[in-house]
Amino acid sequence: MQLDEKYMSRCIELALLGQGNVAPNPMVGAVIVHNDKIIGEGYHEQWGEAHAEVNAIANVKNKDLLKESTIYVSLEPCAHTGKTPPCADLLVHHQFKRVVIGCLDSFSLVSGKGIERLKNAGIETLVGCLENECRTLNKHFFTFHEKKRPYIMLKWAQTTKGKIDQGLADGKVTWISAPETQTKVHAWRKNHQAILVGRNTIEQDNPTLTVRAVTGNNPIRIILDSDLKLSSSMNCFNEEAPTIVFNRLKSGRIGTVEHVQLEEMDPQRILLALYERNIQSVLIEGGRATLQSFIGTNLWDEAKVITGQVDFKQGTDAPELNALLVDEEQFFGDTIKTFYNR
């Protein structure tokens, strides 16, 4: 069992190499072992391209060894044809001696069907090796398919006295956190499919809401603007990333900007609209009202709260959060706390 966990840990390491590039697919790693020696490994590198199992098998020089080998996969092999053929069929074709799987795939088109196919072919199949770690790896994916909504991460920076801004709508940003922490925030952005803010944040800071400090894909920008008061000249409407504007007045698309009309601008309707667009994860960087609306309706999963070393004489109070503290980190003078929804 210790050997199984050793190789599954390597699967997780490999899977993380695809972070930010495979959504809405899950991150998956695969390792092929023959006589306690790794002879091939791979991961899902890009959405729409080969899955981890395919890449791992391609990495094996002597394919004759596969019949005597164990393949470790962090997620149940797919059993349906999507952008690529079923990986479960590929493993059956190569007649692997043994398959060790991290966790079940709760996507309805898989959900046990891949495992069933392997067992029906007479392949020894073990499920649940480092299961919690493998589920955490794809928490966005599992939340989307099991809760029928995107995974929600809240983020804000606050002063030592609990203020998140000075309350000035001048389009100028007064930074609370250190430059190094701002770079870390960009890394969080690249790992989410979308970023969401309200109209007040756009008016106050005029942000671009893109990934600039690190290498990665820009998230889809989600703007809450009930009465469409924002000027089209704002930075968030440039062509660097797609933008969705939720509002009460109209629907339609012009260039990279899509307007989506909602009867009510409440978190449940917003998340349903995002679910229907296959958006699996959202980083909410909005102001107090936006953040508190998701906290108040209990529609969030994780929160990152940054406390900087500056203070404002006046300003907007930070959101109120009663949640489970799971991590506290000192980072270039800032304190970063991570909370999970109970």
Side-chain angles (χ1 to χ4, degrees), residues 11 14-30 41-56 73-75 83-84 87 138 141:
C11 288
L14 290 166
L16 283 166
L17 296 175
Q19 192 169 41
N21 296 317
V22 301
N25 284 357
M27 294 178 284
V28 184
E41 56 184 29
Y43 65 97
H44 186 28
E45 299 176 15
Q46 191 73 41
W47 179 82
E49 297 183 3
H51 288 185
E53 300 93 322
V54 176
N55 289 329
V73 191
S74 56
L75 184 68
K83 293 284 184 181
T84 60
C87 290
N138 283 303
F141 178 81

Side-chain angles (χ1 to χ4, degrees), residues 205-221:
D205 300 340
N206 193 21
T208 306
L209 302 177
T210 55
V211 172
R212 301 180 301 283
V214 296
T215 301
N217 297 322
N218 289 326
I220 299 168
R221 298 174 291 204

Side-chain angles (χ1 to χ4, degrees), residues 50-69:
H51 288 185
E53 300 93 322
V54 176
N55 289 329
I57 290 170
N59 192 233
V60 176
K61 293 181 180 179
N62 183 0
K63 301 293 192 292
D64 292 336
L65 296 178
L66 296 178
K67 295 179 182 179
E68 305 168 5
S69 300

Side-chain angles (χ1 to χ4, degrees), residues 78-328:
C78 60
H80 67 292
T81 300
K83 293 284 184 181
T84 60
C87 290
D89 288 354
L90 181 67
L91 303 190
V92 170
H93 171 75
H94 285 289
Q95 299 178 308
F96 275 91
K97 180 180 179 180
R98 184 168 176 257
V99 179
V100 179
I101 297 167
C103 61
L104 285 166
D105 185 341
S106 54
F107 179 39
S108 60
L109 293 179
V110 185
S111 194
K113 298 181 181 68
I115 293 167
E116 182 181 8
R117 206 166 289 185
L118 296 172
K119 289 183 175 180
N120 287 343
I123 297 174
E124 180 186 349
T125 306
L126 173 68
V127 184
C129 180
L130 297 185
E131 181 176 13
N132 290 337
E133 292 86 344
C134 289
R135 280 187 60 86
T136 299
L137 171 70
N138 283 303
K139 56 190 177 183
H140 299 175
F141 178 81
F142 287 117
T143 297
F144 182 82
H145 288 291
E146 295 170 7
K147 296 186 177 182
K148 309 301 180 187
R149 65 162 176 82
Y151 184 92
I152 300 300
M153 186 171 113
L154 313 176
K155 168 264 166 183
W156 70 84
Q158 62 185 31
T159 67
T160 55
K161 293 183 179 178
K163 303 294 183 182
I164 61 173
D165 60 53
Q166 298 186 78
L168 304 174
D170 55 7
K172 297 179 182 178
V173 181
T174 302
W175 294 108
I176 294 174
S177 57
E180 294 83 0
T181 306
Q182 294 159 31
T183 298
K184 182 184 280 284
V185 171
H186 280 240
W188 296 340
R189 285 182 181 179
K190 80 165 187 175
N191 292 332
H192 287 80
Q193 276 186 273
I195 181 170
L196 184 151
V197 301
R199 174 173 58 84
N200 287 343
T201 296
I202 301 298
E203 289 179 337
Q204 289 179 357
D205 300 340
N206 193 21
T208 306
L209 302 177
T210 55
V211 172
R212 301 180 301 283
V214 296
T215 301
N217 297 322
N218 289 326
I220 299 168
R221 298 174 291 204
I222 313 295
I223 311 298
L224 308 184
D225 185 12
S226 299
D227 301 316
L228 295 180
K229 292 183 177 179
L230 289 173
S231 166
S232 60
S233 65
M234 291 295 193
N235 291 335
C236 62
F237 297 121
N238 65 27
E239 296 183 353
E240 292 181 38
T243 302
I244 297 173
V245 183
F246 286 121
N247 67 95
R248 292 196 183 101
L249 303 179
K250 70 175 185 179
S251 291
R253 183 190 294 273
I254 300 176
T256 57
V257 179
E258 179 186 8
H259 288 86
V260 178
Q261 185 177 12
L262 297 177
E263 289 185 10
E264 296 294 335
M265 298 282 288
D266 62 84
Q268 286 184 324
R269 285 182 172 85
I270 291 166
L271 294 189
L272 176 59
L274 294 175
Y275 175 79
E276 291 171 345
R277 285 160 177 77
N278 208 27
I279 294 175
Q280 291 188 359
S281 63
V282 181
L283 173 62
I284 299 182
E285 289 194 35
R288 176 186 166 88
T290 299
L291 290 161
Q292 201 69 59
S293 68
F294 284 86
I295 294 170
T297 52
N298 205 34
L299 290 171
W300 67 281
D301 301 284
E302 182 179 356
K304 298 280 191 182
V305 180
I306 302 163
T307 302
Q309 296 301 307
V310 301
D311 260 324
F312 301 149
K313 292 182 179 179
Q314 60 183 20
T316 305
D317 290 334
E320 297 177 11
L321 184 69
N322 180 17
L324 178 66
L325 176 65
V326 295
D327 186 61
E328 182 171 334

